[in-house]
PDB file of all heavy atoms in Angstrom:
ATOM      1  N   ILE A  92       5.752 -10.250  12.501  1.00  0.00           N
ATOM      2  CA  ILE A  92       5.796 -10.020  13.963  1.00  0.00           C
ATOM      3  C   ILE A  92       4.623 -10.700  14.675  1.00  0.00           C
ATOM      4  O   ILE A  92       4.809 -11.377  15.671  1.00  0.00           O
ATOM      5  CB  ILE A  92       5.864  -8.526  14.299  1.00  0.00           C
ATOM      6  CG1 ILE A  92       7.152  -7.908  13.777  1.00  0.00           C
ATOM      7  CG2 ILE A  92       5.683  -8.268  15.790  1.00  0.00           C
ATOM      8  CD1 ILE A  92       7.219  -6.405  13.854  1.00  0.00           C
ATOM      9  N   TYR A  93       3.421 -10.447  14.171  1.00  0.00           N
ATOM     10  CA  TYR A  93       2.212 -10.940  14.820  1.00  0.00           C
ATOM     11  C   TYR A  93       1.861 -12.355  14.472  1.00  0.00           C
ATOM     12  O   TYR A  93       1.336 -13.121  15.320  1.00  0.00           O
ATOM     13  CB  TYR A  93       1.018 -10.081  14.503  1.00  0.00           C
ATOM     14  CG  TYR A  93       1.107  -8.688  15.094  1.00  0.00           C
ATOM     15  CD1 TYR A  93       0.846  -7.539  14.312  1.00  0.00           C
ATOM     16  CD2 TYR A  93       1.406  -8.466  16.417  1.00  0.00           C
ATOM     17  CE1 TYR A  93       0.922  -6.279  14.835  1.00  0.00           C
ATOM     18  CE2 TYR A  93       1.502  -7.206  16.967  1.00  0.00           C
ATOM     19  CZ  TYR A  93       1.233  -6.122  16.160  1.00  0.00           C
ATOM     20  OH  TYR A  93       1.317  -4.863  16.686  1.00  0.00           O
ATOM     21  N   ASP A  94       2.084 -12.788  13.222  1.00  0.00           N
ATOM     22  CA  ASP A  94       1.547 -14.094  12.767  1.00  0.00           C
ATOM     23  C   ASP A  94       2.590 -15.159  12.558  1.00  0.00           C
ATOM     24  O   ASP A  94       2.249 -16.283  12.318  1.00  0.00           O
ATOM     25  CB  ASP A  94       0.755 -13.862  11.460  1.00  0.00           C
ATOM     26  CG  ASP A  94      -0.336 -12.829  11.581  1.00  0.00           C
ATOM     27  OD1 ASP A  94      -0.981 -12.820  12.658  1.00  0.00           O
ATOM     28  OD2 ASP A  94      -0.512 -12.027  10.642  1.00  0.00           O
ATOM     29  N   GLY A  95       3.857 -14.780  12.530  1.00  0.00           N
ATOM     30  CA  GLY A  95       4.883 -15.765  12.296  1.00  0.00           C
ATOM     31  C   GLY A  95       5.272 -15.851  10.816  1.00  0.00           C
ATOM     32  O   GLY A  95       4.897 -15.012  10.033  1.00  0.00           O
ATOM     33  N   TYR A  96       6.021 -16.885  10.454  1.00  0.00           N
ATOM     34  CA  TYR A  96       6.547 -17.045   9.121  1.00  0.00           C
ATOM     35  C   TYR A  96       5.991 -18.274   8.458  1.00  0.00           C
ATOM     36  O   TYR A  96       5.705 -19.267   9.114  1.00  0.00           O
ATOM     37  CB  TYR A  96       8.071 -17.262   9.182  1.00  0.00           C
ATOM     38  CG  TYR A  96       8.810 -16.110   9.837  1.00  0.00           C
ATOM     39  CD1 TYR A  96       9.087 -16.111  11.238  1.00  0.00           C
ATOM     40  CD2 TYR A  96       9.214 -15.025   9.102  1.00  0.00           C
ATOM     41  CE1 TYR A  96       9.748 -15.061  11.797  1.00  0.00           C
ATOM     42  CE2 TYR A  96       9.864 -13.946   9.673  1.00  0.00           C
ATOM     43  CZ  TYR A  96      10.147 -13.982  11.028  1.00  0.00           C
ATOM     44  OH  TYR A  96      10.818 -12.927  11.607  1.00  0.00           O
ATOM     45  N   THR A  97       5.801 -18.190   7.175  1.00  0.00           N
ATOM     46  CA  THR A  97       5.535 -19.321   6.336  1.00  0.00           C
ATOM     47  C   THR A  97       6.413 -19.207   5.079  1.00  0.00           C
ATOM     48  O   THR A  97       6.921 -18.117   4.764  1.00  0.00           O
ATOM     49  CB  THR A  97       4.034 -19.390   5.881  1.00  0.00           C
ATOM     50  OG1 THR A  97       3.751 -18.260   5.068  1.00  0.00           O
ATOM     51  CG2 THR A  97       3.111 -19.478   7.070  1.00  0.00           C
ATOM     52  N   ILE A  98       6.598 -20.282   4.389  1.00  0.00           N
ATOM     53  CA  ILE A  98       7.456 -20.261   3.200  1.00  0.00           C
ATOM     54  C   ILE A  98       6.827 -19.307   2.154  1.00  0.00           C
ATOM     55  O   ILE A  98       7.517 -18.539   1.518  1.00  0.00           O
ATOM     56  CB  ILE A  98       7.578 -21.690   2.596  1.00  0.00           C
ATOM     57  CG1 ILE A  98       8.282 -22.639   3.608  1.00  0.00           C
ATOM     58  CG2 ILE A  98       8.306 -21.657   1.275  1.00  0.00           C
ATOM     59  CD1 ILE A  98       9.731 -22.248   3.890  1.00  0.00           C
ATOM     60  N   PHE A  99       5.515 -19.404   1.980  1.00  0.00           N
ATOM     61  CA  PHE A  99       4.836 -18.544   1.005  1.00  0.00           C
ATOM     62  C   PHE A  99       5.000 -17.057   1.365  1.00  0.00           C
ATOM     63  O   PHE A  99       5.218 -16.211   0.498  1.00  0.00           O
ATOM     64  CB  PHE A  99       3.357 -18.921   0.916  1.00  0.00           C
ATOM     65  CG  PHE A  99       2.596 -18.089  -0.059  1.00  0.00           C
ATOM     66  CD1 PHE A  99       2.761 -18.331  -1.427  1.00  0.00           C
ATOM     67  CD2 PHE A  99       1.721 -17.087   0.342  1.00  0.00           C
ATOM     68  CE1 PHE A  99       2.076 -17.579  -2.356  1.00  0.00           C
ATOM     69  CE2 PHE A  99       1.033 -16.335  -0.573  1.00  0.00           C
ATOM     70  CZ  PHE A  99       1.213 -16.597  -1.914  1.00  0.00           C
ATOM     71  N   SER A 100       4.867 -16.737   2.638  1.00  0.00           N
ATOM     72  CA  SER A 100       4.947 -15.287   3.045  1.00  0.00           C
ATOM     73  C   SER A 100       6.385 -14.765   2.863  1.00  0.00           C
ATOM     74  O   SER A 100       6.568 -13.621   2.462  1.00  0.00           O
ATOM     75  CB  SER A 100       4.474 -15.105   4.496  1.00  0.00           C
ATOM     76  OG  SER A 100       5.377 -15.757   5.397  1.00  0.00           O
ATOM     77  N   ILE A 101       7.343 -15.606   3.112  1.00  0.00           N
ATOM     78  CA  ILE A 101       8.765 -15.146   2.904  1.00  0.00           C
ATOM     79  C   ILE A 101       9.002 -14.995   1.440  1.00  0.00           C
ATOM     80  O   ILE A 101       9.632 -13.996   1.003  1.00  0.00           O
ATOM     81  CB  ILE A 101       9.732 -16.178   3.568  1.00  0.00           C
ATOM     82  CG1 ILE A 101       9.628 -16.153   5.070  1.00  0.00           C
ATOM     83  CG2 ILE A 101      11.160 -15.893   3.169  1.00  0.00           C
ATOM     84  CD1 ILE A 101      10.362 -17.235   5.799  1.00  0.00           C
ATOM     85  N   ALA A 102       8.562 -15.925   0.617  1.00  0.00           N
ATOM     86  CA  ALA A 102       8.778 -15.816  -0.833  1.00  0.00           C
ATOM     87  C   ALA A 102       8.040 -14.586  -1.387  1.00  0.00           C
ATOM     88  O   ALA A 102       8.594 -13.842  -2.229  1.00  0.00           O
ATOM     89  CB  ALA A 102       8.247 -17.093  -1.534  1.00  0.00           C
ATOM     90  N   GLY A 103       6.821 -14.320  -0.916  1.00  0.00           N
ATOM     91  CA  GLY A 103       6.076 -13.172  -1.383  1.00  0.00           C
ATOM     92  C   GLY A 103       6.788 -11.842  -0.961  1.00  0.00           C
ATOM     93  O   GLY A 103       6.802 -10.864  -1.734  1.00  0.00           O
TER      94      GLY A 103
END
Side-chain angles (χ1 to χ4, degrees):
I92 293 170
Y93 292 131
D94 305 320
Y96 301 93
T97 63
I98 298 295
F99 181 74
S100 65
I101 292 171

